[in-house]
Amino acid sequence: MNLSALGWNESFTAAFSPFSNAGLVPARVACEHKHAFELYSESGLVHAALTGKLLHEAQVRADLPAVGDWVAARLRPGEPSADIHAVLPRRTKFSRRAAGPRPDEQIVAANVDVVFLVTALDANYNVRRIERFLAVAWESGAQPVIVLNKSDLHPEPDRARREVEAIALAAPVVVVSALDHHCRDLFAPFLRIGQTLAFLGSSGVGKSTLINAILGEARQSTGEARISDSRGRHTTTRRELLLSESGVLVMDTPGMRELQFHDQGADVEETFQDILELAHACRFSDCSHRDEPGCAIQLALDEGRLDGERWASYLKLAREEAYATRKNDQAAARKERAVWKKINAGQRARRLWAQRNEVD
Ligand SMILES: Nc1nc2c(ncn2[C@@H]2O[C@H](COP(=O)(O)OP(=O)(O)OP(=O)(O)O)[C@@H](O)[C@H]2O)c(=O)[nH]1
Ligand SMILES: [Mg+2]
Ligand SMILES: [Zn+2]
């Protein structure tokens, strides 16, 4: 296997140099099992485990490898297996809040160049959801492409295209039927060796069917949608970076209705309608519900009309929401810095190149 065909480029070389001195090799995470990873390396597919040191030093989940990551690995001599010593900084990343008690960041996909946000033109077609996915996609650093699949099921696919183009900004919109023979041609402009493509979207929209069509191989299982509401059945159950015979690198992912970062607010409101209504009756509109006079929440707690545990769980969610928002702001700032870094690196590279040519 050739590293550049696996998506390696100069942006990783600098980050890797300390590891190459230590005798490690670069490898890319193809998929993740419970306690193990599969990696693409120059010597082919290898199984790998994390070193205790990496596990120990990881502060948060996002410090551990995710599908698409480049890692520094030590190959075990004579075996198709390796140990992962470090994760290289991600060029792009999709993350969402992990389920669970701590609002931890979960990396959905790393180092993706082009992300296809897939929606089906069936009963679940929803422009607002595409809008939300798009917002997260722009933050990831990858180039988003909106895919309206199952055009064969829509009476006026061109009307849908116009509607979506109106919110797409700079993202191209592809209207397609995965069952159509010409499907692959529509994706041809994106199929370049070394480019990492990823497909995201709800279960049943046809991500795996599109991937099979693009690869020209029946690589991924696909599943019938439920008849009742045409939702999918979560046929794909793990994220996986596939490398086709033709050299196309594409990530299939399990169905995801939302990328959670942006949507939490609506959930909190829906779930805690009663509390929000109570808060309307506080004397001060910016009441913090701690010890202000005329606080309707404190009064309701005192009188037993509001359950203390329910209040505590509201506070917890509200805090997490604030955390997620803060995190999004940080992501935006990071992205801006990254752009400048790229520009500076470009200037530096040009300068070095010019110096070198002078010497030659
Ligand atoms: N009519 C029609 N059906 C399609 C099209 N694309 C996919 N399907 C069908 O939709 C169903 C779901 O397709 P999948 O490719 O499994 O969907 P998925 O997005 O990978 O779903 P998960 O793996 O569950 O996330 C299958 O029965 C496909 O044959 C299309 O363009 N038109
Ligand atoms: Mg699938
Ligand atoms: Zn109050």
Side-chain angles (χ1 to χ4, degrees), residues 282 287 289 295-297:
C282 293
C287 185
H289 317 305
C295 175
I297 300 271

mmCIF file of all heavy atoms in Angstrom, residues 282 287 289 295-297, ligand 3:
data_model
loop_
_atom_site.group_PDB
_atom_site.id
_atom_site.type_symbol
_atom_site.label_atom_id
_atom_site.label_comp_id
_atom_site.label_asym_id
_atom_site.label_seq_id
_atom_site.Cartn_x
_atom_site.Cartn_y
_atom_site.Cartn_z
ATOM 1 N N CYS A 282 -40.851 34.111 37.377
ATOM 2 C CA CYS A 282 -39.853 34.743 38.248
ATOM 3 C C CYS A 282 -39.949 36.268 38.097
ATOM 4 O O CYS A 282 -40.254 36.767 37.024
ATOM 5 C CB CYS A 282 -38.438 34.299 37.864
ATOM 6 S SG CYS A 282 -38.130 32.562 38.190
ATOM 7 N N CYS A 287 -33.381 35.963 36.080
ATOM 8 C CA CYS A 287 -33.246 35.250 37.355
ATOM 9 C C CYS A 287 -32.340 34.029 37.199
ATOM 10 O O CYS A 287 -32.437 33.279 36.239
ATOM 11 C CB CYS A 287 -34.637 34.798 37.810
ATOM 12 S SG CYS A 287 -34.636 34.043 39.433
ATOM 13 N N HIS A 289 -32.308 31.748 39.500
ATOM 14 C CA HIS A 289 -33.052 30.744 40.275
ATOM 15 C C HIS A 289 -32.240 30.219 41.438
ATOM 16 O O HIS A 289 -32.338 29.052 41.792
ATOM 17 C CB HIS A 289 -33.507 29.580 39.381
ATOM 18 C CG HIS A 289 -34.042 30.027 38.053
ATOM 19 N ND1 HIS A 289 -35.066 30.931 37.936
ATOM 20 C CD2 HIS A 289 -33.690 29.694 36.783
ATOM 21 C CE1 HIS A 289 -35.323 31.135 36.649
ATOM 22 N NE2 HIS A 289 -34.496 30.419 35.929
ATOM 23 N N CYS A 295 -38.334 34.357 43.140
ATOM 24 C CA CYS A 295 -38.000 33.283 42.196
ATOM 25 C C CYS A 295 -39.074 32.193 42.250
ATOM 26 O O CYS A 295 -39.284 31.543 43.276
ATOM 27 C CB CYS A 295 -36.637 32.678 42.525
ATOM 28 S SG CYS A 295 -36.261 31.249 41.483
ATOM 29 N N ALA A 296 -39.727 31.986 41.133
ATOM 30 C CA ALA A 296 -40.827 31.027 41.065
ATOM 31 C C ALA A 296 -40.337 29.589 41.154
ATOM 32 O O ALA A 296 -41.039 28.700 41.637
ATOM 33 C CB ALA A 296 -41.613 31.242 39.776
ATOM 34 N N ILE A 297 -39.123 29.364 40.735
ATOM 35 C CA ILE A 297 -38.568 28.002 40.776
ATOM 36 C C ILE A 297 -38.300 27.603 42.235
ATOM 37 O O ILE A 297 -38.702 26.528 42.688
ATOM 38 C CB ILE A 297 -37.244 27.931 39.980
ATOM 39 C CG1 ILE A 297 -37.465 28.306 38.514
ATOM 40 C CG2 ILE A 297 -36.591 26.571 40.143
ATOM 41 C CD1 ILE A 297 -37.832 27.207 37.579
HETATM 42 ZN ZN ZN B 3 -36.071 32.218 39.320
#
